[in-house]
Amino acid sequence: MIYLIVVASTMLLLPAASIVVDAGSAPLLWLVGKWFVFWAVGARLMLAGLRQYLQPAFTSRDIMGIESAEVFVLVRELGGANVASGVLGLASIAAPSFVLPTAISAGIFYAVAGAEHARADHRGRNELVAMVSDFWATAILLGFAAAWVLTGGLR
């Protein structure tokens, strides 16, 4: 249940609340990118990465359905990559120029992760949550990036 709360909070509730609080300070498109990069990439991937590194069994067993401890080394590597993305997402608050590149790279990551979850034959509740949230993040992040580029950054 904690997993679902963290995912729902970082992928929907906290970004939406931040956009509402920040409304009027910048164009809506920018606020969507800013706050989804901060919460869905920064907070979410940082938390996921730390948990993958410190508790690899949660990802391998409870999300992927893999019981073997032999995969822990790969889960820890994924955790390192998630921490790296999380750092960029969190830093984007202080460095707004990080928002667009972080949205693009994390959007691609989430798309690949979602596709891999979709291919799974054994998808349990946690993997379903991961898959849906991955595709949600993909749509928001890559949608923001495409709109930002197509509008010339709302100049």
Side-chain angles (χ1 to χ4, degrees):
M1 190 55 137
I2 291 173
Y3 175 67
L4 180 60
I5 292 168
V6 168
V7 171
S9 296
T10 57
M11 299 294 239
L12 182 61
L13 300 175
L14 292 169
S18 297
I19 291 166
V20 168
V21 168
D22 211 8
S25 68
L28 179 60
L29 178 60
W30 176 253
L31 295 178
V32 168
K34 171 185 175 179
W35 290 113
F36 272 91
V37 164
F38 179 78
W39 290 112
V41 180
R44 172 77 186 103
L45 293 183
M46 178 63 75
L47 290 171
L50 290 172
R51 187 161 197 186
Q52 288 160 337
Y53 193 81
L54 298 171
Q55 296 177 321
F58 176 77
T59 296
S60 64
R61 184 190 62 236
D62 297 344
I63 295 179
M64 306 299 289
I66 301 169
E67 295 292 333
S68 174
E70 292 175 355
V71 301
F72 288 1
V73 66
L74 294 173
V75 173
R76 285 190 181 104
E77 285 186 28
L78 174 62
N82 279 333
V83 166
S85 292
V87 166
L88 289 176
L90 293 173
S92 71
I93 289 297
S97 63
F98 287 13
V99 171
L100 180 61
T102 301
I104 293 168
S105 65
I108 293 167
F109 169 76
Y110 275 123
V112 170
E116 288 303 312
H117 290 303
R119 291 172 18 122
D121 294 332
H122 61 274
R123 193 175 322 112
R125 184 182 70 112
N126 285 342
E127 190 162 14
L128 179 63
V129 168
M131 181 187 72
V132 169
S133 66
D134 288 349
F135 285 139
W136 166 254
T138 298
I140 298 292
L141 295 168
L142 294 183
F144 158 74
W148 190 257
V149 169
L150 292 172
T151 63
L154 298 175
R155 289 184 196 144

